[in-house]
Amino acid sequence: MSDVNLTTKIKGLTFRNPITVGSGTFGTKQDFLDYVDYERLGAMTTKTITRHPRTGNPMPRICETSAGMLNAIGLQNRGLEEFLKNKIPLFAKIKTPLIVNIAGEAAGDFQHLAEALHKEKDVVKALELNLSCPNVEEGGAGFMRKRERILEAVKVVRDATDLPIFAKLSPELGDVVEIARDVIDVGADGLTLINTLKGMAVDTERRCSRIANITGGLSGPAIKPVAVRYVYEVKQALGVPVIASGGIMTAQDAIEFLIVGADLLAVGTANFINPRATMEILDGISQYCRDHDITHIDELRGSFHHENQISG
Ligand SMILES: Cc1cc2nc3c(=O)[nH]c(=O)nc-3n(C[C@H](O)[C@H](O)[C@H](O)COP(=O)(O)O)c2cc1C
């Protein structure tokens, strides 16, 4: 038990600490259970669930880049039915709030998913709407680039459930602060910032893309400054709950996001390098708090000092 109080409250939910995982970057099979005590996480976030199973994009669909990775998984998942049947009972045993990430090709899919998950409120504590996957033809950033479709998806989910809703956005969609304002206006409770940015890497011998989909979503350290900027700007402009996502590899990264006001911290790409990353980041946050005489994480959260700004 940590001597530092990391308890984080959002919209009536209490998290034992701010650490969660980036959707799609964390296993729920035995291999991860060997490394991570799920009950030490503040929240668990699932991979995107769609109404029907999806096989995803052809391989290869991930590759390493100089400061991160590209992925074009294409929302591979076994669909809602299988999730309800096999994963909900598994998560029911874990005493960690569950955030379920959902995506659809049309508002009707979002509605169907939200209605079904609303019935699992004993286990499902919040929904994260993936409105920004760059790797799918329909239902991803391309389709969702139309602002009215994003807003429609948020609206139907709002009508279907009173579970807290986090809208996950990417700069691929346009001005994040502007879209964030709109999704909050139509009923989202908070935001997840940011999803990946579309990128590309070329195999110089074969002179083709290193992933079959040609382009993929860039994640990892390369996108962290963009993510920090948007968390900062959205917190300043709207003050709503934010799950930070983008290049959280170390406790130092996590602390940057806390200082600009992040409520939860989603560790993504780091899990592929070190499956214990979440636990090490958690321990590092506690250590930082101890070193800075911080007894409750809220003393750190949003403590950005404009007056300390170095300016010549
Ligand atoms: C292999 C991989 C799969 C991902 N799958 C999803 C997904 O299914 N749904 C989603 O909303 N985001 C997905 N993401 C995005 C991550 O959740 C996260 O927002 C993004 O990678 C930025 O965080 P990071 O830099 O810490 O990885 C995926 C990312 C990676 C690398």
Side-chain angles (χ1 to χ4, degrees), residues 199-213:
M200 184 171 166
V202 173
D203 178 330
T204 52
E205 288 307 311
R206 298 172 64 204
R207 302 188 194 178
C208 62
S209 174
R210 288 169 60 201
I211 49 178
N213 193 54

Side-chain angles (χ1 to χ4, degrees), residues 292-303:
H292 293 77
D293 295 325
I294 293 166
T295 54
H296 195 293
I297 195 163
D298 282 345
E299 296 159 39
L300 176 62
R301 184 175 282 120
S303 61

Side-chain angles (χ1 to χ4, degrees), residues 171 175-177 223-235 257 260:
D175 181 338
V176 169
V177 182
I223 70 167
K224 191 188 79 177
V226 182
V228 173
R229 168 218 167 171
Y230 279 121
V231 173
Y232 167 78
E233 288 187 355
V234 166
K235 282 304 266 193
F257 281 104
V260 295

